[in-house]
Each structure stands twice: as structure tokens, then as C-alpha cells.
Amino acid sequence: MNIKKLLFLFVAASVITVSCTDQDDNLFSVPADLEVQDFVWKGLNLWYFWQAEVTDLADSKLDNSGDYISFLSSYPNPADLFEHLRHPDDRFSVIVSDYDELQASQQGNSDSNGVDARYIFLNSGSSEVIGYVRYIVPNSDADGKDIRRGDIIYGVNGQSLFFNSETDNNLNLLDPTNTTYNLADLTVTNGVRSITPNGRNIDLTKTNITENPVHIASTIDVGPKKVGYLMYNQFISTFDTQLNGAFATFQAEGVTELVLDFRYNPGGFVSSAIALGSMATGQFDGQLFTKFRYNNKIQPQLTDAQENRYFVNALSTGAAINSLGLTKVYVITTGSTASASELVINSLEPYIDVVQVGTTSRGKNEASVSLYDSPSWTFSDSQLNPNHKWAMQPLISRLENSAGFSNYTDGLTPDINIAEDLTNLGVLGDETEPLLAAALNSIANAGRPLNINPMKIVPIDAITDTKLRTITADRMYIDLKVGDNDDALQNHKLIIPQE
């Protein structure tokens, strides 16, 4: 079945009445109460990276209208159908019933009290959970209150936190608009953690905020070397101008070394990742940054220019990129470093020396796209279905660098292995903060390793964190645009821009 026919089927699905018009050509509509399920199946059938490996996504599913409608009917909740069609290797695809929330989250806009925390088991084998504050979002409700990096959260509204399984836990206590975080002091004896409530109870209210991902941009003198330090917490395209501004400052101050701190960065837009990689370098304009690998329906339709992404010298606004021309960068990573953050590391490595400091990254080498119930799958389509607000964010592509490497589903391993220490998190951006100090030591000593006593490190094994509890979490996005003027793609009206 060709893609043009599938798109025709998708348009036909908007017809409310049931009719079987042409079984030979698989042209039929579905009942109105199954239009969301129909959107889910057809979107995944066309776009999903693992489409050929999921039996119930086979094109033959459309051979018989009655069987197809019966199949959709067996999943009254579209989310259940989506989960049924997910490949076992898929850790990151998501479906939402309200695309407004999805769009807001992608732009860094969400309801938040401003406490970015990571939640861990108090000890191995225990179901008791504590959270430790990683940072406070500026201009949030928490900003200015008596809560800061390193504080230990043991309860919410007077209830201790626990986690037995994904379905048996009380982390939903973190969800309401108004909460009180109960804090405790942490003691570690022979590697065993214990907490003592300290009487600090912080009342917090979630408000709608947009977090600037450029959390810290500063310069540090290391002997005769000028080091630029950038803590960047999400790849958000609407903040590319601010990111470029940080690099303009680095340029003006004569930065010759760069530390990119991605330790809490879950990913975001590929276009921003390319921009950042181009800012760190600049000498590779027009050369291959990353290559997209799609399923066997999409891949053959793409031209070289649509399949590949290149280093750039300007933002989408037309503003010139402020680049440093570096041949070496340091990147700080943890298990929270994912997606577009890993893309930057992997894409730069064939060109320059990338020194990874910290712990192994999350291991997300796939990109996703927002699909909406419209003929072009986009939100801006004039024929967007007005009857519901469901949308999907499925994985549709695997990304490889210019050397053809993409196999990092287990994460990217550091060159300098040092974990965050729960008893000594330090101040972000301060030269003595352990992970930054390790990078600066390597810079000062021409790459000689830092002597680290592993007995001083208190392992932090995470259950989840504030960012992972959002819709967008650790996902990497590519923009989808459609048009009628591209001859090579006119059969399915698909244009993937190089932005």
C-alpha cells in the first residue's frame, strides 16, 4: 500500500457515518467514536520507527474494514491502543489527551513551584523515598523561600514518600497546585543513609512559568586560560537567542575553553542542538551534524537534504551564530542527561575532542515528532479535527553522527567518572562544585585525571525527577512541516525542514 493511499484513508477517517466504499482499495471510514483510535493507528502505521516490527501495525490491517473497526473497538481508551502498539524497545513515545499541555511543555512553559528535585530510595532495598533539591528555578514560587540546592524532601503534606512499584507509590502527592514540602537532615554512616525531620516545612504553589534553559553562563579563569561555563537545562528553540547571547559574551571575554553542563538536561529540539554545536565550533559550517534514519516507508521518500542535518552559521531568525571555533569541549553528564544533549556529544565527537565528565547519560538516540489529527499531521492544518485534542509524540527516527555511530541506548560513558555526592552537592557554577571542579582540573592540568576517592561518593540511584514527571520529559523533537511544492515528496506531502 503506498503512502498516498494511507493519507487518503486518513482524510476519509473524518467522515462520521460508517460506509464501506471500496474494499479493494481499502477506502472506508470509521464510526465517530473511533476517530481518535483511527488517528493513533494510522499515524503510527506511517511514522513509527518500529512500524515493520509491530504485527498490529501491518498495512494488511486495513484489508478488511470490519476487522479493522473491530480491532479499534477493542481499545475504548486510545491510550491503551497506543500502549498496545508500542515496540518493546520504545521507552519514550507518549500520547496525550490535551495537546495544549504538550505544546506548552515543549516551550519550557509549565505549572511548577520551581523546585527541581530528584527522587531516590533512602537506601537500597527500601521503599522509603527522599528527594534532594537540584536547583530552584528563578522567579518561581520557591525562589526566595527557605529551600535550596541540597535540601532533603522526605514528605509532602506530612506524609512520608514511598515507592514500591510504578502502580504502588504515593509520588502523586507532588502533583497538586498547593503542597507543603517536609524537609529533613541527612546522615550517612558507613554508606547507610538516615534522615531526621528538621521542622522545616515549605508551603509551595505551582504557577505557570517559563524556565529559561540558560541557567548559568559565566567565565572562569584557570591560570592563563579563560573558561566559558554554560549550564543549559533544556533545548528550547524559543530561547535560542538567549543561548546565542551567552556565546556572544564568551566571544567578547576571549573564552578558549568551554564546559557545557548538561547534567539536568533531558533534551528538546534538534534545531537547538545543532545551533549549540555550531556555537561551540563554527569551523564546520555546512558539514554533516547528524543523519536521520526512518522506517522503510519514510526513508526512501527523502532527499539527501531532508535526511541530513548540517552545522549552521545562523539561527532560524537569520541572526548570525556567535561561534568559538573550539577543537575541544568538556561536557558534564549524569543519568538525567538525555536526548538532544546526547546528540550534541555524539555529533561533535567525529570533529573535535569531547571530554565527558560525570556519570553515564540516559541513552536516548531517537527523535520524536508531534502528530495531530489532521491530513498533514500538523497542528496548523486548517483541517485539524475539532472533535478532540489528542496528540501523539512517537519515536520516528534514530540519529547517527557523521561517522555512522548511533548505538548508545545504554548511554554515553564519561571519560572522567565522578558522581554527584549527596553529602557534597556544592553550588552550581562554583569552581569547587565537584563535577565542574573535575572539568577545570583537567583543563588546568592538560587532561591529567582527577584523583577521586570513591568512598567519599554517596551513590544516587534515581526513581524519577521533576523534569521526568513532565509530558515532554527526556524527548528529542523534530519539526514537521507539509507542503505541496516538493516534487520528491508530493506522494505523501511530507517535508522535514533542516532547522
Side-chain angles (χ1 to χ4, degrees):
M1 177 182 298
N2 63 35
I3 295 175
K4 182 176 182 181
K5 187 176 294 182
L6 283 174
L7 281 179
F8 185 92
L9 286 170
F10 182 79
V11 176
S14 63
V15 179
I16 294 179
T17 58
V18 180
S19 62
C20 298
T21 58
D22 188 338
Q23 287 298 307
D24 291 335
D25 287 338
N26 298 314
L27 306 183
F28 56 85
S29 57
V30 301
D33 62 349
L34 294 177
E35 60 184 353
V36 178
Q37 289 87 337
D38 191 51
F39 153 64
V40 169
W41 188 90
K42 285 172 180 161
L44 295 179
N45 170 265
L46 177 60
W47 286 100
Y48 195 40
F49 182 72
W50 292 279
Q51 182 268 333
E53 300 174 39
V54 177
T55 300
D56 279 337
L57 282 176
D59 292 349
S60 59
K61 206 74 176 174
L62 294 174
D63 287 349
N64 183 286
S65 62
D67 290 346
Y68 176 68
I69 291 171
S70 177
F71 170 71
L72 298 184
S73 299
S74 64
Y75 295 94
N77 184 344
D80 292 337
L81 174 62
F82 183 85
E83 290 302 316
H84 169 73
L85 296 173
R86 279 175 60 146
H87 189 274
D89 291 343
D90 182 359
R91 297 175 290 162
F92 303 108
S93 293
V94 67
I95 187 170
V96 297
S97 59
D98 186 348
Y99 48 60
D100 290 336
E101 188 177 352
L102 172 66
Q103 293 171 328
S105 184
Q106 288 175 342
Q107 300 303 325
N109 190 323
S110 62
D111 290 335
S112 170
N113 58 30
V115 177
D116 184 284
R118 194 159 176 84
Y119 296 90
I120 64 175
F121 290 112
L122 179 60
N123 287 293
S124 178
S126 168
S127 64
E128 191 171 357
V129 171
I130 59 172
Y132 67 94
V133 179
R134 303 192 297 189
Y135 68 95
I136 300 298
V137 178
N139 302 314
S140 65
D141 184 62
D143 191 17
K145 292 188 174 180
D146 187 24
I147 186 169
R148 61 193 67 87
R149 176 172 169 80
D151 280 343
I152 301 298
I153 304 164
Y154 79 91
V156 177
N157 301 333
Q159 298 184 56
S160 296
L161 299 173
F162 72 88
F163 186 96
N164 291 315
S165 69
E166 291 290 344
T167 57
D168 181 17
N169 66 80
N170 67 347
L171 296 187
N172 60 352
L173 290 174
L174 300 164
D175 296 339
T177 300
N178 296 294
T179 52
T180 298
Y181 284 8
N182 312 120
L183 306 186
D185 295 326
L186 177 72
T187 303
V188 182
T189 306
N190 296 323
V192 178
R193 295 188 283 247
S194 59
I195 54 172
T196 303
N198 58 24
R200 290 168 59 202
N201 302 297
I202 313 301
D203 295 328
L204 295 164
T205 300
K206 291 181 179 180
T207 58
N208 192 260
I209 61 175
T210 301
E211 178 181 350
N212 185 345
V214 183
H215 190 69
I216 302 172
S218 62
T219 55
I220 302 169
D221 291 323
V222 179
K225 300 175 180 178
K226 183 75 71 172
V227 181
Y229 171 74
L230 175 72
M231 185 170 198
Y232 186 61
N233 288 337
Q234 192 174 352
F235 289 82
I236 303 176
S237 57
T238 51
F239 283 91
D240 285 351
T241 297
Q242 287 85 338
L243 179 63
N244 202 31
F247 276 82
T249 301
F250 291 159
Q251 275 186 337
E253 297 189 7
V255 162
T256 57
E257 307 279 348
L258 178 65
V259 179
L260 299 172
D261 194 339
F262 292 161
R263 75 182 74 189
Y264 305 142
N265 191 319
F269 283 92
V270 170
S271 57
S272 297
I274 297 172
L276 178 52
S278 301
M279 292 171 194
T281 55
Q283 65 270 40
F284 307 113
D285 180 38
Q287 296 188 49
L288 181 64
F289 187 84
T290 191
K291 180 184 292 287
F292 287 76
R293 293 299 186 193
Y294 294 86
N295 66 33
N296 290 333
K297 289 185 175 183
I298 301 298
Q299 193 74 38
Q301 309 294 327
L302 303 180
T303 65
D304 178 75
Q306 292 156 339
E307 179 183 3
N308 301 321
R309 298 293 187 278
Y310 301 92
F311 286 89
V312 295
N313 59 20
L315 301 178
S316 59
T317 61
I321 277 180
N322 301 307
S323 58
L324 300 180
L326 299 178
T327 58
K328 185 176 187 177
V329 297
Y330 289 76
V331 184
I332 295 175
T333 65
T334 66
S336 294
T337 305
S339 191
S341 298
E342 295 169 300
L343 174 66
V344 170
I345 298 170
N346 190 50
S347 295
L348 287 180
E349 282 194 327
Y351 295 96
I352 66 174
D353 187 9
V354 180
V355 181
Q356 190 177 336
V357 180
T359 53
T360 302
S361 64
R362 186 161 172 82
K364 183 180 183 298
N365 57 352
E366 304 102 351
S368 60
V369 71
S370 298
L371 297 182
Y372 300 89
D373 191 356
S374 71
S376 66
W377 313 99
T378 62
F379 178 75
S380 58
D381 195 311
S382 61
Q383 296 183 61
L384 178 69
N385 191 337
N387 298 328
H388 67 85
K389 301 181 77 172
W390 286 82
M392 297 185 290
Q393 192 79 34
L395 296 177
I396 67 168
S397 180
R398 182 157 287 172
L399 287 81
E400 61 184 42
N401 64 19
S402 62
F405 179 73
S406 64
N407 186 22
Y408 54 92
T409 53
D410 293 329
L412 296 168
T413 57
D415 302 287
I416 302 173
N417 198 326
I418 175 173
E420 286 198 309
D421 186 343
L422 195 56
T423 64
N424 180 29
L425 285 175
V427 177
L428 292 172
D430 190 278
E431 297 176 40
T432 63
E433 184 276 312
L435 272 62
L436 176 56
L440 297 178
N441 176 81
S442 182
I443 291 170
N445 295 288
R448 288 195 295 273
L450 179 68
N451 292 322
I452 302 169
N453 181 356
M455 296 304 293
K456 291 185 178 181
I457 303 297
V458 180
I460 303 175
D461 298 321
I463 301 168
T464 187
D465 61 50
T466 300
K467 288 187 174 69
L468 288 179
R469 291 175 61 79
T470 65
I471 289 176
T472 46
D474 43 9
R475 295 174 177 89
M476 180 159 43
Y477 318 116
I478 56 177
D479 295 324
L480 177 66
K481 293 182 180 180
V482 296
D484 297 317
N485 299 322
D486 193 301
D487 293 339
L489 300 173
Q490 62 184 351
N491 284 342
H492 54 82
K493 301 181 181 179
L494 163 67
I495 296 177
I496 300 177
Q498 300 177 58
E499 58 175 303

